[in-house]
Structure formats: C-alpha cells, structure tokens
Amino acid sequence: MIRGGGRWRGWAALLGAMALVAVGVALAEPAWAQTAAPAGREYGDFPIVGGRIVVWVSAQIHLMFAAFVLGVPMFAVVAEAIGMFGGEKRYDRLAKEFTRLLLIAYSATAIWGAILSFALVIIYPRFWTHMMEIFEISVWFYLGLFFLESFTLYLYYYGWERWSTGRAKMAHWGMGILLNVWGTAVMFIADSWLSYMMSPAEGVTADTPPGDIGVWSAIVNPTWMPINIHRIIANVVFGGAIVGAYAAFRFLNASTDEERAHYDWMGYVGNIIAIGALIILPFAGYYLGREIYEYNQQMGITMMGGFMSWLWIIQAFLIGVLFLAGNYYLWVGMQRIPGAERFAPYTKWMLLVLVLGVIVWATPHTMIASRSELAAMGGSHHPFLGVLGVMSAKNTAVNLMILTTFLSFLLYRRANKTPVVPWAKTGTRVQGMVFLVSSAVVLFYGIYGYFVPAVQRIGFSVYQVLAVLITIVVVVAIDFAMGRGAESRGAIRWGQMPPRSQYALFVLAVTFTWLMGLMGFARSGIRQHWHIWEVMRDTSEWAATPALGFAAQVITACVLIFLGLIGFIFWLGGLVEKPVLADVRADAGGAVALAGANADPARGQ
Amino acid sequence: MLLTNLKILAVILGTVTLYTVLASAIPQIESEVPQELTLGADFSAEELVAAGEDLYQGAGGCVACHGLGTRAPNLLTDHAGTGLIGARCAARETGKDCKTYLHEALVQPLAYVVEGFGPIMPDMSRTLSDAQIWALVAYLESLGGTVDVTADDVGAGADPAGEAADAPNGAAAAAGGGAIAGGSTDATEIWAAAGCGACHQLGGEGGAVGPALDGLGATRDRAYIRRAILDPAADLAPGFEALGGMMPAAFGQSLSAAQLEALVDLLAEEG
C-alpha cells in the first residue's frame, strides 16, 4: 500500500529518466574519450583550484556514492531474506526502504562517474589514452554490466509489491542477489584500473608499449584482489553507517511515536551492520598492506614509515572514534531495554579498555627523523612512546577493543532476556572463560612479541586474530543456543532513545566518510609522483603529493559535498514514499514496541 | 525542527573540523618530486653535499629506512658500533673505495645487502639522475669521511638545456655529456664517434670483441639496452663474463640524454 501513488509515479519517472540520462552520459563518454585526447597534449587545467583537485574530488565523491550503492544492496537482500524466511515482514519493509535510498543515490553515482571520466580526459589525456589502450575491452564489459545492474535495480525496486508472494517473491529475492553480482563485477573491473596504477604487472616498464600489455595480466595485478576484498567489506560498513545516519535524521525529525520507533529500530540495524563489518575490516586491511609490501617494499615503506607515517596516527584516532561512538550508541540504547540495568556497572570498564586501546593505537612509532631529531631522542625511537608504538602493542590494543565491542553487542542482545535452559549458568561461565582465555592469548602474544625478532613477531598477530575470531564464533553459538525459549524481561521500548544517541550515529557516518577519504588519499598517494608506479611518471605541476594538512582540507570538502548531496537525496526519497508504519507494526506482530507500550514482551528484538 | 537540523549540522561540521584541524596540526611532510640537479660548472664540495642532504631528507626518500636503523642500516649516526657511514664505507668491499662502493650500492643495492637486513632497497637510478646519485654519495661521504666526488663524476651539471628532465624514465640517468659526435643526436654518428663498432657488430659490421648487437631489439627491451649502455657490468652477456669491465662505464657522463635515447632507438629498432 503506497500513499500518494500519482505523485510517487511522477517522481519515479523523473528520477528514472535522470538516472538513464546519467547512465547514457557515462556510457557515451569512453568511446568519445579515446579520440578526444589531443595528440601531444599531456595535461589540461582547471581554473582556480587546478586540475588535480578536480580529479581528486570527483573521484572521491564518485567512490563515496559507489560504496553506498554497492554496500546497501548487500544487506537489503539479507533483510529481505530474513523477512521472507523468518516471517518477520518488518525486515522486508526495511529492505525496501534501503533500496529506495539506493535508487536515487545510484543516479548520483553515475553522474559523478561521468564527471570523473570527463575530468580525466581533459586534465590527464596522456594517462587516459594509455589506460584505454590497455583496458579497452574491460571498459565494454564494464558498460554492459552497468546496464544490467541498472535495469536489475529498477526491476528489484519497482517490482517489490508486484512480486511479493510465493515463487514470485523468491524470484524477486533472486533479483536482489543478481543486483549484487552485477554490482560486485562492476566494482571488480573498476578496481583493476586503479590497482594497476599501483602495481602494474611484472615486466612492464616505461618503455613497454601499452598495446603490448595483455589486458588480463593488467587486471590480475598483485593488489587487485586485496583491494576487491577490502572494498566489499568497507562498502557494507559505509552503507550501514549512512543508513544509520538517515534513520537518525528521520528519528530526530519524527512527528509521531510510530515514526520514532521505526527509525530507532532502523538506526539500530544500521549501526549493527556498520560496526559488525568494521570488526573484520582490519583483517582485510592487513591483507592489502601485506600484498603491497610483497609487491614493492619501497611502496610499503612509503606507506607505513615514509612521508605517510603520520597518516596512520590520524587513522587510529578516527577508528577510535568509531569504536567509542558505536559502543556509546549501544550503551545508551540499553537504557530502553528492561533488564539492561544489571549490566550498567560494566560500562565504565569497557570504556576504560577502549580509551586505553585508542591511546596505544594512536601512539606514533616509525617517523621520519632528521639527524638532529634522532640525536634529541637519543636513538631512532622515542624512549617511552617507542615502546608503546610498536605493532605488538598496537595489535594487542586493537584486538582488545574488538573483544570489548563484541561484549557490548552481547550484553545488548541479552539485556532483556533470562535464559531458561538448564545449563544457562554453565553456558554463561563458559562464555566468560572464552573471553578471558582469548584476552589472555592476545595479551600474552602482545608481551612476548617484545622479546622475539620482527619476523616472528609479525606472525603473532595471526594467533591474536584467531583467538578473537574463535571467541566471536563460540560465544555467539552458545548465546543462540541459550536464547532458545528465553523469558523476556520486557520489550525494547523502541523510540525511547535520547537524542544524543542519534548524534552518535551522525558522528559514525561522518567519521566513516572522512576515513574513506583519508584511505583514498593513502592508497592513491603512495604512488607519489607516478601516474602508474614506475611506468608513467607524473610530470605535471601537481606531481608532488601534498602533506596531510592540505589533503585533510580536500577530504573535508569531499565529505561535505557528499553529505550535502546525500542529504538532498534522502529528502527527495522522503517525498517519494512515506513508510507505512502501521503495516510495519502489524507485520512485526508488535515487535516494534512503541514508547510506553509493551506489545509483545516475548519478542524484544 | 529547524533547531534539530541546526544541531545535526553543527555535529557534522564540528566533527569534520576536528579531523581537519588534527590532520593540520601534526608534522606536515610532502612527498617531493625529485628535481633535476643543476650545478654550476665549478661547484664546490659543500654545494654537492648540501644537494645530497636535501635529496636524502626529501625526494630521495632515504630516511624512511636509513634514518631509523630498523629496516636498513642507520646511515645518519653510528650503526651497531661500526661508526658513521663516511668512515666505514671504504672498508665495506675489498678493492673498492668509498666512492665506488656507495655509488654501486645506490644503483645495484641488491648486490650489497647488509647482513641482518632484507633486500628491500630499490635501484635509485630508476628515480634519480646520475648527478643526483653522486650528490647522495658526496653527502654520505661527508658523514665521517672525506668527500672525493669530482666534477668528472657528476658530469658538472652539463645539462643546461634540461634535456635530461625531458627524457623518459631512466634516461635521466644520463644527466651530463653531449660531447661525443659534437653533440649530434644522429645515432649512427654517435655509434661511430663512441667507438662502439670497435667491439660490437651491428648491421653485419664491427668487431667481435663484445657480443654482436644484431637482433638485440628482438630479445631485449629498451630499458635493458639503456642499462647496458650506462652500466655495462650490470648484465653481462653469456660467454662474455670474462670481459666484464672492459666496456667503459662512462657513457652516462659522456652522452647527453637525447644522444643516449637515440642510441637506444638504434639498437632497439635496427639491432
């Protein structure tokens, strides 16, 4: 049931047309581009800000939109599956609302992709021509998949009500899966272009004619798959965070209790997705970093110990903010869960672990130092900070932070439940033991790492990570088994969330977006003055890679442009269709308990 | 509602402002582009050392590893009780003086990996010109030793037209030169004037001391040919190992960048 059908259709048609125009522009551009690069002209320009800033900003904003439109479909199909197979239709509605956000953001992605392509053609014609000579065939595949992705998305969204039951619903869900397949394939192709710039295939030199480079060998370059994996996870994180901010915006501006309850729940889901995926993202980052080192030690050293070394201190600070804000949201959220008060005393200790973890993680270690600075420090490292700044300490800190965050989730889940299985006490003790043992393992290898050579020490991080992952798996398994038939201490009072918790969701979204810009700068900046590492030198006036202060200003500009646009898109989305909250409440069988109500105490979350 | 949205805006702006200020407050390090070294004809040792130090601390990227002593030997202060680099370099390889050792360690680093460290150092000739490398050598010699790099080594900045800067990667290594064949960029004139034909055969003509270069372009790329001219000892052709060192290693100084590229073109296309 959709309100205001006529207006909705009008907007939908308009937006669909806009998207098609944008896609058309994007599709028309590459073929034109190859002939557009004037012979002999290496660089174009752009007034006032210069060419590089234009390319940088358009690439970054395109990537932000792309991450959103690739991340959201992943959890949309999962939510749809929960609704379909679990019988909780509120998840189906949620999936549709996710997809509605996606629809308009998709056109923005295409528009920024077209802007980026034009900018590259005009400002870096030599580089563009070179890349097209290598990747021409992959561009055609990219365009074909883009078409498929577009039409699958429209079918997926507009067919939601028509194909809502029986086999048709299953087919509709299949379409959602297909949407993810096309989107992932599109991303893989685009990743091959940018990863080639970082790590061209072995044997390719400045003198190798681009036409002689096999497209497949260029695609499967050493950093391609690590970047693919890292981006898949990061897209989920990013999508969850933006959805959380959207829900927070709706929550804060809600005029009814129903709306507040719905968007409170949606914000919770967004946060769970973002923080849940964030927990595994560092492992993907570690894999990517290792492959960069494997490919070229100099590039790896430039990244971690060269002129970019301070960047990782800022990154640690940002991730610390993410952990703190994510946990804070959960702790505040527990105030609306009956029974959660018994866990309140633990909060301050978890906060302590997180704060200490952030402090250790953000401790500088490998810094570029001059002779006078080395002399002032009395050695190659700071006498005190040098001890805390090593990877042994940092790995220990981050793993304990992950365990603490997982504990927050666990307490949140169990807050309003009383297990009734006869082995409940034993189960809880076993869970506690698993936490203690894994913390001990993490600490042991963290301390032992100071007494062994670096090569051996690096291997310890694997044991620490394994201990954390095993803890998560074992504890969750026990918790699910223990939760069977659990008595409820009362339903979650969705909507009774203090506004400050919603601002935490905004902090999460802004920080994720800023972090994405920072990591974009890191990934691209480690090439330094090379368009393509040691193959094509950047001889333009913008060849020097700027310092972090300047980069931060550009990143902030990108973040504000993106958030401004996505805010406008969300506002547009609100005009298209209001969620049918009464249906959501009815479908959930009262699961979305409204403020002051206690519709179904047995099904709190 | 307006107040709520203003608060949201304040949170967003406050958060990005915090990150921007924080990122601007930490040490600001820019990754510089290595600039072609331009020294006057009668430069002093101090000028050369100063240029080398600039490279070492900046665009050369040396301090990322050699300033700390954890990834690579510490070249700035004493390393493991062996003294400063300028004082210990002459004893590093038997039969090689400090200057020779340091230069070779910069352009063939994998041949001189210090025990206890990994083979991670790149060949600096891929990113720096020969003059820049000599400046680095002078700087390292100055750390506890005597600077004996001369204008003959450096090529005395004989690149007034900036040809090296315009040359493709690797060609920048030939920063000086241009005296051969009166500066002509005709490859056949350079071939004749440099005396290549005395040892090498090309087009069915020439000596048989060194390997014949007919057909070279079919099996070797331009980078290999360029390296073979600039650093003949880097890759000795099979069967000619015993003659290593016979071919002059000074073409990097005697050829201009344009001449070097012309010769590379000749060997790649007609060889």
Side-chain angles (χ1 to χ4, degrees), chain B residues 119-243:
Chain B
I120 61 174
M121 178 156 161
D123 170 0
M124 295 311 294
S125 67
R126 289 190 304 197
T127 49
L128 300 179
S129 73
D130 208 41
Q132 289 172 316
I133 290 170
W134 281 118
L136 278 174
V137 171
Y139 170 62
L140 294 173
E141 283 186 327
S142 76
L143 301 175
T146 306
V147 178
D148 60 354
V149 178
T150 65
D152 287 341
D153 296 319
V154 180
D159 186 27
E163 287 173 314
D166 297 333
N169 308 322
I180 289 181
S184 168
T185 53
D186 183 321
T188 52
E189 286 183 26
I190 299 165
W191 173 270
C196 309
C199 297
H200 296 285
Q201 185 175 296
L202 184 67
E205 294 178 10
V209 179
L213 303 182
D214 289 314
L216 184 67
T219 56
R220 302 292 188 180
D221 63 18
R222 294 170 55 84
Y224 175 90
I225 296 169
R226 189 180 295 111
R227 187 169 66 244
I229 297 169
L230 295 174
D231 185 7
D235 300 288
L236 294 172
F240 293 88
E241 291 88 348
L243 301 175

Side-chain angles (χ1 to χ4, degrees), chain A residues 206-207 249 253 297 301 310 317-318 321 366 368 371 374 380 503 511 528-529 534-535 537 545 548-549 556, chain B residues 1 5 7 19-20 22 26-31 33-34 63 65 67-68 76 120 122 126 169 222-223 226:
Chain A
D207 298 322
F249 174 75
N253 286 291
Q297 291 271 356
I301 290 165
W310 276 101
F317 179 80
L318 292 173
V321 169
T366 306
I368 290 181
R371 290 188 78 200
L374 290 173
S380 56
Y503 293 114
T511 306
Q528 297 174 281
H529 54 279
E534 293 189 344
V535 171
R537 192 187 288 263
T545 312
L548 197 51
T556 293
Chain B
M1 185 179 281
N5 289 330
K7 281 183 187 171
Y19 299 153
T20 311
L22 196 65
I26 61 169
Q28 299 295 304
I29 307 164
E30 184 177 286
S31 169
V33 180
V63 283
C65 296
L68 297 167
L76 287 178
I120 61 174
R126 289 190 304 197
N169 308 322
R222 294 170 55 84
R226 189 180 295 111

Side-chain angles (χ1 to χ4, degrees), chain A residues 499-514:
Chain A
R500 66 179 187 278
S501 65
Q502 305 302 303
Y503 293 114
L505 291 179
F506 279 110
V507 170
L508 276 172
V510 173
T511 306
F512 274 125
T513 313
W514 212 91

Side-chain angles (χ1 to χ4, degrees), chain A residues 272-346:
Chain A
I272 286 275
I273 291 166
I275 300 295
L278 176 69
I279 283 175
I280 54 170
L281 193 57
F283 307 135
Y286 179 80
Y287 171 45
L288 172 59
R290 197 194 69 174
E291 291 303 309
I292 289 173
Y293 267 96
E294 284 283 316
Y295 173 72
N296 188 296
Q297 291 271 356
Q298 189 193 6
M299 187 186 274
I301 290 165
T302 297
M303 178 174 70
M304 298 306 295
F307 86 102
M308 280 196 168
S309 51
W310 276 101
L311 182 145
W312 305 102
I313 303 304
I314 302 296
Q315 188 222 28
F317 179 80
L318 292 173
I319 294 179
V321 169
L322 293 176
F323 272 107
L324 286 167
N327 277 279
Y328 173 78
Y329 176 82
L330 288 175
W331 297 336
V332 173
M334 287 167 79
Q335 292 172 7
R336 54 163 155 57
I337 307 178
E341 58 279 357
R342 68 189 191 280
F343 297 133
Y346 302 127

Side-chain angles (χ1 to χ4, degrees), chain A residues 83-103:
Chain A
M84 196 166 59
F85 299 114
E88 288 196 65
K89 289 199 174 174
R90 62 175 170 154
Y91 281 98
D92 191 77
R93 294 287 171 187
L94 186 72
K96 189 179 179 191
E97 195 165 1
F98 283 159
T99 311
R100 181 157 54 84
L101 301 180
L102 180 66
L103 204 65

Side-chain angles (χ1 to χ4, degrees), chain A residues 261 491-496 585 590-600 603-604:
Chain A
I492 297 176
R493 296 185 294 271
W494 293 112
Q496 278 196 347
R585 189 169 41 152
V592 181
L594 302 178
N598 224 354
D600 184 358
R603 300 177 63 191

Side-chain angles (χ1 to χ4, degrees), chain A residues 389-443:
Chain A
V390 296
M391 285 314 290
S392 278
K394 293 190 177 203
N395 281 341
T396 305
V398 74
N399 279 298
L400 290 178
M401 286 166 71
I402 290 172
L403 279 174
T404 305
T405 303
F406 175 59
L407 182 61
S408 281
F409 273 123
L410 197 70
L411 298 182
Y412 187 101
R413 259 183 59 79
R414 294 179 65 162
N416 67 337
K417 289 177 186 164
T418 304
V420 294
V421 292
W423 50 274
K425 276 192 178 174
T426 310
T428 304
R429 283 186 189 132
V430 170
Q431 285 179 315
M433 282 300 294
V434 173
F435 264 106
L436 281 176
V437 169
S438 62
S439 302
V441 168
V442 168
L443 278 170

